[in-house]
Amino acid sequence: MNKKTVFSGIQASGHLHLGNYLGAIRNWKAMQEEYNNYFCVVDLHTITVPQHPAELRANIREVAGLLIAAGLDEEHSVVFVQSKVRAHSELVWILNCVTPMGWLHRMTQFKEKSEKQKEEVSVGLYDYPVLQAADILLYDAHLVPVGADQKQHVELCRDIAQRFNHRYGEIFVLPDALIPPVGGRVMGLINPEKKMSKSEEKQEDSVFLLDTPDQIRSKIKRATTDSRKEIVFDEERPGIYNLLTIYQLLTGGKREQIETYFEGKSYKTLKEELAEVVIESLRPLQQKYFDLTGDNNFLDQILSRGAEQAGARAEKKLRQVTEAMGLR
Ligand code: ATP
Ligand code: LTN
C-alpha cells in the first residue's frame, strides 16, 4: 500500500504540556494508522540553547516515554531520538550550503528566542530551521503535523527543498504543514497572550502532562480570567477563551453546547469542571507512562529499533543527495 509519510519532532527542552499534547501529539496518534510515521525527539535542536547534561538526558527519556504512553505504537510509527541518526547532522551541513542567510533572518522564532538570550545566542539557534528542514527532507515526508508556531519553519523547509531540487534535480519531496483548526495554539494560563511553552520559566503557566491532580486544580484555579461574567467563546477575552478551548478539545463538545451548559454559571465552576476534565483526560496517559517507565529496558528497545529503522531510511536519502551533488 502506498501510504504517505508523516514526520514531526518535539524538543526535550522540559516537561511536556497540554499545548504539546493538544496541538501536536494527540493528533499524531489520531492519524498514525493512515500514514507511515516518523516521530523524533529532537535533542540536537534542544541543545541550540544551553542545557544541563543530566537534565537533558532525563528529558529525552521523559519525552520519548510520553510519546509511547500517548499511544504512538511501533506498528504504525517509528519513534526515535534525533542524535542517534547521524544523517541529520550531515544533511544539515549540505542544506546550509544552499540556504541563503536572508531566509533565516526572517524567522520569527529566532527573533523571539534570541531576544531572551542576547549575546549568548549560538550559531546553532540561528541554524535551527535548517536542521528542521533536514529532519523532514530525510524521510520524504509529505505532511508535517505541528502547532501553529511551526508554520513558518515548514514553509522554509519547502523553500529549501525547492531550491535544492532546482539545482540538482527532483530529489526532495515538498512537505506541507498540517495545523489543527482548533488547538494549534494553546495559550499560557497566567499569560494568555503568549503560547504555553516548555521553556517558560513560570511553572504555573503550563499544565504539564505529568502534573498531579492537585497541581492541575491549583494551576487552573489561578488561571488569569477577566472582570466579566459570561462564559462564551470570545477571542477578545483570551483567558476565558483559552480555558473554554481546552475544555472543548478534551470533551469533544460543540461550542454552542458548551456555552449553553455554562450559562449562568460562575468562572469558579468553569475552572473546577475544567480541572476535573483535564485530570481524567490525562489519567490513562499518566498510568501508561508510569507502567512503561517502570521497565527501563522497554523504552530503550523501542528507541533502539526506532533509530535503526529511521537510520536505514535516512542513509538511503543521504546517498541520493550526495550523489546528485557530486560528492559520491
Ligand atoms: P520550547 O518552549 O522549548 O520552544 P515548546 O513547548 O514550544 O518548546 P516544542 O517541542 O518546540 O515545544 O514543540 C513540539 C510540538 O508542540 C510542535 O508541533 C509545536 O508546534 C507544538 N506546540 C508547542 N507549544 C504549543 C502550544 N502552546 N499550543 C499548541 N501546540 C504547541
Ligand atoms: N521546531 C519544532 C521541532 C522540530 C520539528 C522538526 C517539527 C524539529 N524538527 C521536524 C516538525 C518537523 C518545534 O516544535 N519547536
Side-chain angles (χ1 to χ4, degrees):
M1 268 215 303
N2 252 352
K3 286 185 178 177
K4 286 192 169 176
T5 301
V6 159
F7 185 99
S8 202
I10 186 153
Q11 295 197 70
S13 44
H15 301 301
L16 295 194
H17 52 74
L18 266 185
N20 299 133
Y21 183 65
L22 296 172
I25 301 168
R26 189 173 88 141
N27 310 320
W28 302 351
K29 165 169 161 53
M31 58 195 281
Q32 72 178 338
E33 293 177 21
E34 223 179 303
Y35 300 100
N36 286 319
N37 310 278
Y38 293 86
F39 296 117
C40 183
V41 181
V42 291
D43 54 350
L44 298 175
H45 279 99
T46 311
I47 59 167
T48 55
V49 300
Q51 303 289 327
H52 189 284
E55 261 171 43
L56 177 62
R57 201 171 288 121
N59 283 337
I60 293 170
R61 290 189 69 79
E62 186 176 305
V63 173
L66 279 167
L67 293 184
I68 306 298
L72 300 180
D73 66 67
E74 280 191 285
E75 193 186 331
H76 303 101
S77 301
V78 176
V79 175
F80 70 106
V81 177
Q82 187 186 33
S83 63
K84 299 296 168 293
V85 177
R86 299 293 168 96
H88 293 249
S89 310
E90 196 171 334
L91 185 60
V92 70
W93 179 257
I94 290 172
L95 297 182
N96 279 338
C97 299
V98 300
T99 307
M101 297 254 279
W103 290 4
L104 296 184
H105 283 319
R106 292 201 296 269
M107 295 295 112
T108 50
Q109 188 173 302
F110 174 74
K111 285 184 206 156
E112 281 164 23
K113 292 207 173 183
S114 57
E115 252 164 44
K116 280 199 218 154
Q117 288 195 69
K118 305 250 156 47
E119 63 277 13
E120 294 285 309
V121 177
S122 66
V123 176
L125 189 68
Y126 187 67
D127 203 29
Y128 180 114
V130 186
L131 178 58
Q132 182 163 348
D135 297 342
I136 297 166
L137 299 177
L138 272 176
Y139 300 89
D140 290 328
H142 303 90
L143 291 174
V144 184
V146 281
D149 62 317
Q150 294 303 309
K151 185 166 181 270
Q152 196 185 32
H153 285 167
V154 180
E155 282 164 2
L156 179 86
C157 170
R158 233 184 127 83
D159 291 341
I160 295 173
Q162 226 156 4
R163 195 171 160 99
F164 187 97
N165 287 354
H166 183 71
R167 280 197 195 164
Y168 299 109
E170 292 300 307
I171 303 290
F172 291 130
V173 170
L174 306 187
D176 283 307
L178 197 63
I179 295 166
V182 182
R185 196 167 163 82
V186 174
M187 309 308 277
L189 296 179
I190 301 294
N191 182 0
E193 310 273 346
K194 265 179 54 192
K195 85 170 186 82
M196 199 178 273
S197 155
K198 277 194 233 97
S199 45
E200 167 61 47
E201 267 146 46
K202 278 201 223 78
Q203 299 276 306
E204 300 78 36
D205 209 43
S206 309
V207 174
F208 297 114
L209 301 186
L210 294 175
D211 275 350
T212 63
D214 281 347
Q215 285 172 316
I216 295 172
R217 287 188 193 105
S218 142
K219 285 179 180 178
I220 293 182
K221 192 172 163 191
R222 282 189 279 167
T224 303
T225 51
D226 52 49
S227 55
R228 306 265 297 270
K229 278 224 280 286
E230 321 77 65
I231 300 181
V232 289
F233 285 87
D234 175 359
E235 290 189 56
E236 302 292 309
R237 294 158 61 198
I240 284 295
Y241 184 80
N242 191 40
L243 296 181
L244 281 172
T245 303
I246 296 172
Y247 186 92
Q248 179 194 1
L249 287 161
L250 292 176
T251 58
K254 293 220 169 62
R255 290 192 166 189
E256 308 79 68
Q257 289 170 339
I258 295 171
E259 288 176 348
T260 311
Y261 177 74
F262 282 111
E263 211 176 304
K265 295 191 174 130
S266 63
Y267 284 178
K268 181 164 173 279
T269 305
L270 167 65
K271 286 178 166 182
E272 284 168 359
E273 296 209 15
L274 175 62
E276 296 315 309
V277 165
V278 172
I279 291 165
E280 289 315 315
S281 309
L282 295 182
R283 197 186 294 282
L285 182 144
Q286 295 188 347
Q287 188 57 49
K288 208 164 159 208
Y289 175 82
F290 291 118
D291 286 350
L292 80 87
T293 48
D295 175 358
N296 249 334
N297 264 335
F298 181 70
L299 185 58
D300 286 340
Q301 282 170 7
I302 292 183
L303 293 178
S304 124
R305 286 193 290 266
E308 214 173 292
Q309 268 181 274
R313 170 110 184 218
E315 275 305 320
K316 222 166 118 192
K317 192 76 206 175
L318 196 56
R319 231 172 293 136
Q320 231 182 314
V321 170
T322 48
E323 185 130 345
M325 297 179 81
L327 293 170
R328 179 184 289 274

